[in-house]
Amino acid sequence: MEKAHVIVIPYPAQGHVIPLMELAQRLVEQGIKVTFINTEVTDKLVTSTWSEKDDFGDLMQMVSLPDGMEPWEDRNDPAKLVEAIFRSMPAKLEELIKTINKEDDCKVTCVIADNCMGWAIQVAEKLGIRRASFCPASALTLASMLSFQKLMDDGIIDHSGVPLNNNTTQLSPTMPPIKPANLWWACIGDLATTKICFQVIVEAAKAAAMTEWILCNSSHHLESATFSHFPQVLPIGPLLASNRLAKQTGHFWPEDSTCLTWLDQHPPCSVIYIAFGSITIFEQAQFEELALGLELTNRPFLWVLRPGITKETTVSYPEGYMDRVSLRGRIVSWAPQQKVLSHPSVACFMSHCGWNSTLEGVNNGVPFMCWPYFADQFYNETYICDIWENGLALEKNKEGIVTAEEIKSKVNKLFSNKRFKDNALALKEKAVSSIRKGGSSEKNLSNFIEWIKEKDNHLSS
């Protein structure tokens, strides 16, 4: 009997690859064949971090396509990367699908595309293949994308996506407020970048209208108002490997698991965990304030410093810093974050508030200190500080710096007020209940998988 064969294609960034890789593995567990497509650069990063290359078995294959950029070009420039992808990848994807359908016993029956890769949905429609859109970010992020026309009609943004005023807006009276300057496409780079990223939004909204499913890595309990106002968006999260006692895949850097042994040596709820994701970059002055702030807390800390987190080629600490903090500070280049956040010694999470990190912190009942960098991270900070009340915002001074004293003050406030931990634990229970048997996210995912499998029954009848 011919099986359903799904193509999964994420946007080439770690925060997009990881949740789609998790979704792909859920499909494989249900006997569905998956071809997972990364760009060539992303594929090398992801596969280089695997400890066992054959984890996925015969039902999942990893394929790469060129992103349209030259090897030496800067892929950290989102405008250039998006333009190159739009220019080059649709034809490559179409060619790949046609080759699979000609040579593989299992023809492609469905395309699941990251909502930032809306062109892939258009390719699937052209070829008559069923399709689903997946949002790796919050439902609020997706809602702002789907509402671009309303935002234009209401005079919040112009036809290029550029904010026209500073008046806080809401997509519905019950949804969280959004500052126009914090619309995710408007806070990534310069004006030219905003306009190009806005085209991603427009394409994503068009693509969503062509799909039979719009999936989101979130939970109704976390964003009830948004899901109520956008009933076409279905939550299937939190999609975390830890929820099925599996190892996370899709990260771009090798994990340093020795930090778990270091955590074992500390009392419950005593360690500050600091990690700012795969994209955040600090100026040297801000980096030094952060280092001194952690020192001022006089508490144990685990700090993830990935390569390239400062603009300088090598990280430069304040003089004598490492000697002073060596007994209570551990610094690693990358950490197994889901395992770290589930460790009993971790008391709080100083985070850039990327959605994956937000879900991982929520899923483990860990309070936050919020330090968003760009894009949807400001939305997530609003959830944490104003809606869920399981964390505090780190405020910048007039010079745009989060000072060492601010860090010390907020850490002390978080540790001394039990309310943040209580709220975090209550939110954890709600999030986890969504993915348990019979939970809303579990039901949506099960229904989606059954829809994919309907192709099996059709082919065998």
Side-chain angles (χ1 to χ4, degrees), residues 435-447:
I435 52 94
R436 290 193 188 117
K437 187 70 175 174
S440 54
S441 289
E442 190 272 338
K443 284 180 180 177
N444 288 334
L445 182 56
S446 295
N447 290 340

Side-chain angles (χ1 to χ4, degrees), residues 6 11 26 29 55-56 77 109 112 119 125 129 131 147 163 166 180 183 209 258 267 272 332 338 356 391 408 423 451:
V6 177
Y11 180 80
R26 303 291 179 98
E29 286 178 349
D55 281 349
F56 306 126
D77 183 328
T109 57
I112 304 174
W119 55 266
E125 186 193 43
I129 298 169
R131 47 214 170 267
S147 303
N166 293 319
L183 288 164
T258 63
I272 307 166
V332 296
Q338 292 183 22
N356 284 326
K408 176 187 175 183
N423 289 346
W451 174 79

